[in-house]
Amino acid sequence: MKQNSIQIDYIEYESLDAMPADDVALIEKAIEIAQKSYSPYSKFPVGAAVRLDNGEMYAGNNQENVAYPSGTCAERTVLNYVNANFPDHNIEAIAITSLKSNSSIPITPCGFCRQVIMEMEYSQQQKIRIILHKIGGPTYVFQSAPALLPLAFIGEMLQ
Ligand code: THU
């Protein structure tokens, strides 16, 4: 018997002042698109913005549905869009934010979205930086998908 543990490293920025300008721009895009969220049921608007390897940014928000499971998170709205339209470009980073929060920490992606980020990172063979921002609060930066989904189910099917 052996006791193991998994450590997760991330950077915390207290304010946007210390962050790289391109990451700040991505966060601003996520905040902007969150305002167009369709979230009449949860009233919890979320925005996500992706930067590709050519520097271009794309954004998406959560799109809910009266049949609740038919709704989609902001992350998957934008990730599936860029993967559908720009399959030859790698994703460098994704920034995620919510307009409302009772928490003192940034919003964190759901398990579905972590799995999708994981697959896109694995298939493009380039790490995706995950930037979680709380408006008026801290920003957490994770350098790759496995940090948010340790021991992910991925390799067996894709090898
Ligand atoms: N949501 C996102 O869009 N992204 C997340 O990271 C967490 C949750 C959405 C799903 C639903 O529309 C609303 O937030 C409340 O859960």
Side-chain angles (χ1 to χ4, degrees):
M1 202 269 253
K2 202 160 67 149
Q3 177 75 52
N4 294 328
S5 67
I6 293 172
Q7 181 181 322
I8 296 172
D9 294 319
Y10 63 98
I11 303 166
E12 177 172 355
Y13 292 92
E14 273 180 32
S15 81
L16 295 182
D17 301 343
M19 290 198 75
D22 55 354
D23 285 350
V24 174
L26 203 59
I27 289 169
E28 283 168 353
K29 202 148 175 79
I31 294 171
E32 189 189 327
I33 199 83
Q35 285 153 28
K36 297 180 190 161
S37 152
Y38 180 71
S39 45
Y41 306 106
S42 71
K43 300 186 172 31
F44 190 77
V46 182
V50 158
R51 186 175 62 244
L52 300 182
D53 55 10
N54 59 2
E56 296 211 348
M57 297 188 291
Y58 296 90
N61 49 31
N62 50 334
Q63 294 292 318
E64 297 185 346
N65 192 282
V66 64
Y68 288 10
S70 306
T72 308
C73 293
E75 294 90 322
R76 277 173 292 142
T77 302
V78 65
L79 286 166
N80 288 332
Y81 177 82
V82 297
N83 213 33
N85 286 280
F86 313 107
D88 298 332
H89 283 285
N90 286 355
I91 296 168
E92 272 184 9
I94 180 168
I96 306 155
T97 195
S98 63
L99 296 186
K100 288 186 191 159
S101 168
N102 294 322
S103 169
S104 58
I105 67 164
I107 184 175
T108 56
C110 78
F112 267 27
C113 291
R114 292 177 197 216
Q115 183 73 32
V116 170
I117 298 168
M118 186 77 201
E119 173 120 5
M120 291 193 182
E121 175 170 311
Y122 189 90
S123 62
Q124 70 179 21
Q125 297 191 313
Q126 182 185 322
K127 290 181 178 178
I128 299 176
R129 294 177 66 236
I130 304 169
I131 302 163
L132 309 180
H133 176 68
K134 179 177 167 63
I135 295 172
T139 303
Y140 294 174
V141 179
F142 298 81
Q143 301 297 359
S144 72
L148 283 178
L149 196 60
L151 305 179
F153 175 69
I154 187 88
E156 290 84 349
M157 300 302 289
L158 289 174
Q159 270 162 13

CSV table of all heavy atoms in Angstrom, one decimal, residues 38-39 42 44 46 61-64 72-75 96 107-110 113, ligand 1:
chain,number,residue,atom,x,y,z
A,38,TYR,N,-27.1,34.2,-22.6
A,38,TYR,CA,-28.6,33.9,-22.5
A,38,TYR,C,-28.7,32.9,-21.3
A,38,TYR,O,-28.5,31.7,-21.4
A,38,TYR,CB,-29.0,33.2,-23.8
A,38,TYR,CG,-30.5,32.8,-23.7
A,38,TYR,CD1,-31.5,33.8,-23.8
A,38,TYR,CD2,-30.9,31.5,-23.6
A,38,TYR,CE1,-32.8,33.4,-23.7
A,38,TYR,CE2,-32.2,31.1,-23.5
A,38,TYR,CZ,-33.2,32.1,-23.6
A,38,TYR,OH,-34.5,31.7,-23.5
A,39,SER,N,-29.0,33.5,-20.1
A,39,SER,CA,-29.1,32.7,-18.9
A,39,SER,C,-30.3,33.1,-18.0
A,39,SER,O,-30.1,33.5,-16.9
A,39,SER,CB,-27.8,32.9,-18.1
A,39,SER,OG,-27.4,34.2,-18.0
A,42,SER,N,-30.7,30.5,-14.7
A,42,SER,CA,-29.8,30.6,-13.6
A,42,SER,C,-29.5,32.0,-13.2
A,42,SER,O,-29.1,32.3,-12.1
A,42,SER,CB,-28.4,29.9,-13.9
A,42,SER,OG,-27.7,30.7,-14.9
A,44,PHE,N,-27.1,33.6,-14.2
A,44,PHE,CA,-25.7,33.5,-13.8
A,44,PHE,C,-24.9,33.7,-15.1
A,44,PHE,O,-24.5,32.6,-15.7
A,44,PHE,CB,-25.4,32.2,-13.1
A,44,PHE,CG,-24.0,32.1,-12.5
A,44,PHE,CD1,-23.7,32.8,-11.3
A,44,PHE,CD2,-23.0,31.4,-13.1
A,44,PHE,CE1,-22.4,32.7,-10.8
A,44,PHE,CE2,-21.7,31.3,-12.6
A,44,PHE,CZ,-21.4,31.9,-11.4
A,46,VAL,N,-22.0,33.9,-17.8
A,46,VAL,CA,-20.6,33.5,-17.8
A,46,VAL,C,-20.1,33.9,-19.2
A,46,VAL,O,-20.8,33.8,-20.2
A,46,VAL,CB,-20.5,32.0,-17.6
A,46,VAL,CG1,-19.0,31.6,-17.6
A,46,VAL,CG2,-21.1,31.6,-16.2
A,61,ASN,N,-20.5,32.7,-24.6
A,61,ASN,CA,-21.2,32.8,-23.3
A,61,ASN,C,-22.1,31.6,-23.1
A,61,ASN,O,-22.3,30.8,-24.0
A,61,ASN,CB,-21.9,34.1,-23.2
A,61,ASN,CG,-22.8,34.4,-24.3
A,61,ASN,OD1,-23.3,33.5,-25.0
A,61,ASN,ND2,-22.9,35.6,-24.7
A,62,ASN,N,-22.6,31.5,-21.9
A,62,ASN,CA,-23.5,30.4,-21.6
A,62,ASN,C,-24.9,30.6,-22.3
A,62,ASN,O,-25.4,31.7,-22.3
A,62,ASN,CB,-23.7,30.0,-20.1
A,62,ASN,CG,-24.0,31.2,-19.2
A,62,ASN,OD1,-23.6,32.4,-19.6
A,62,ASN,ND2,-24.6,31.0,-18.1
A,63,GLN,N,-25.4,29.5,-22.9
A,63,GLN,CA,-26.6,29.5,-23.6
A,63,GLN,C,-27.5,28.5,-23.0
A,63,GLN,O,-27.4,27.3,-23.2
A,63,GLN,CB,-26.4,29.2,-25.1
A,63,GLN,CG,-25.5,30.3,-25.8
A,63,GLN,CD,-26.3,31.6,-26.0
A,63,GLN,OE1,-27.5,31.5,-26.3
A,63,GLN,NE2,-25.6,32.7,-25.8
A,64,GLU,N,-28.5,29.0,-22.2
A,64,GLU,CA,-29.4,28.1,-21.5
A,64,GLU,C,-30.6,27.7,-22.3
A,64,GLU,O,-30.9,28.2,-23.3
A,64,GLU,CB,-29.7,28.7,-20.1
A,64,GLU,CG,-28.5,28.9,-19.3
A,64,GLU,CD,-28.8,29.4,-17.9
A,64,GLU,OE1,-29.9,29.9,-17.6
A,64,GLU,OE2,-27.9,29.4,-17.0
A,72,THR,N,-25.7,25.1,-22.7
A,72,THR,CA,-24.2,25.0,-22.8
A,72,THR,C,-23.5,26.0,-22.1
A,72,THR,O,-23.9,27.2,-22.1
A,72,THR,CB,-23.9,25.1,-24.3
A,72,THR,OG1,-24.7,24.2,-25.1
A,72,THR,CG2,-22.4,24.7,-24.6
A,73,CYS,N,-22.4,25.6,-21.5
A,73,CYS,CA,-21.5,26.6,-20.8
A,73,CYS,C,-20.8,27.5,-21.8
A,73,CYS,O,-20.6,27.1,-22.9
A,73,CYS,CB,-20.5,25.8,-20.0
A,73,CYS,SG,-21.1,24.8,-18.6
A,74,ALA,N,-20.3,28.6,-21.2
A,74,ALA,CA,-19.6,29.6,-22.0
A,74,ALA,C,-18.3,28.9,-22.7
A,74,ALA,O,-18.0,29.2,-23.8
A,74,ALA,CB,-19.2,30.8,-21.2
A,75,GLU,N,-17.7,28.1,-21.9
A,75,GLU,CA,-16.4,27.6,-22.4
A,75,GLU,C,-16.6,26.7,-23.6
A,75,GLU,O,-15.9,26.8,-24.6
A,75,GLU,CB,-15.8,26.7,-21.3
A,75,GLU,CG,-15.3,27.4,-20.0
A,75,GLU,CD,-16.4,27.5,-19.0
A,75,GLU,OE1,-17.6,27.7,-19.3
A,75,GLU,OE2,-16.1,27.4,-17.8
A,96,ILE,N,-11.9,32.9,-18.5
A,96,ILE,CA,-13.3,32.6,-18.1
A,96,ILE,C,-13.7,33.5,-16.9
A,96,ILE,O,-12.9,33.7,-16.0
A,96,ILE,CB,-13.5,31.1,-17.6
A,96,ILE,CG1,-13.0,30.2,-18.7
A,96,ILE,CG2,-14.9,30.8,-17.2
A,96,ILE,CD1,-12.5,28.8,-18.2
A,107,ILE,N,-14.6,32.0,-10.8
A,107,ILE,CA,-15.4,30.9,-11.3
A,107,ILE,C,-14.5,29.8,-11.8
A,107,ILE,O,-13.4,30.1,-12.4
A,107,ILE,CB,-16.4,31.3,-12.4
A,107,ILE,CG1,-17.3,30.2,-12.9
A,107,ILE,CG2,-15.6,31.9,-13.6
A,107,ILE,CD1,-18.3,30.6,-13.9
A,108,THR,N,-14.9,28.6,-11.6
A,108,THR,CA,-14.0,27.4,-12.0
A,108,THR,C,-14.9,26.6,-13.0
A,108,THR,O,-16.1,26.4,-12.7
A,108,THR,CB,-13.5,26.6,-10.9
A,108,THR,OG1,-14.6,26.1,-10.1
A,108,THR,CG2,-12.6,27.4,-10.0
A,109,PRO,N,-14.3,26.1,-14.1
A,109,PRO,CA,-15.1,25.4,-15.1
A,109,PRO,C,-15.7,24.1,-14.5
A,109,PRO,O,-15.1,23.4,-13.7
A,109,PRO,CB,-14.2,25.1,-16.2
A,109,PRO,CG,-12.8,25.6,-15.8
A,109,PRO,CD,-12.9,26.2,-14.5
A,110,CYS,N,-16.9,23.7,-15.1
A,110,CYS,CA,-17.5,22.4,-14.7
A,110,CYS,C,-16.7,21.2,-15.2
A,110,CYS,O,-15.8,21.4,-16.1
A,110,CYS,CB,-18.9,22.4,-15.2
A,110,CYS,SG,-19.1,22.0,-16.9
A,113,CYS,N,-16.7,20.8,-19.1
A,113,CYS,CA,-15.8,21.8,-19.8
A,113,CYS,C,-14.3,21.4,-19.6
A,113,CYS,O,-13.5,21.5,-20.5
A,113,CYS,CB,-16.1,23.2,-19.4
A,113,CYS,SG,-17.7,23.7,-20.0
B,1,THU,N1,-21.6,27.9,-16.4
B,1,THU,C1,-20.7,28.2,-17.4
B,1,THU,O1,-21.1,28.7,-18.5
B,1,THU,N2,-19.4,28.0,-17.2
B,1,THU,C2,-18.9,27.5,-16.0
B,1,THU,O2,-17.7,27.4,-15.9
B,1,THU,C3,-19.8,27.2,-14.9
B,1,THU,C4,-21.2,27.3,-15.2
B,1,THU,C5,-23.0,28.2,-16.6
B,1,THU,C6,-23.9,27.0,-16.8
B,1,THU,C7,-25.2,27.6,-16.4
B,1,THU,O3,-25.8,28.3,-17.6
B,1,THU,C8,-24.9,28.7,-15.4
B,1,THU,O4,-23.5,28.9,-15.5
B,1,THU,C9,-25.2,28.3,-14.0
B,1,THU,O5,-24.6,27.1,-13.7
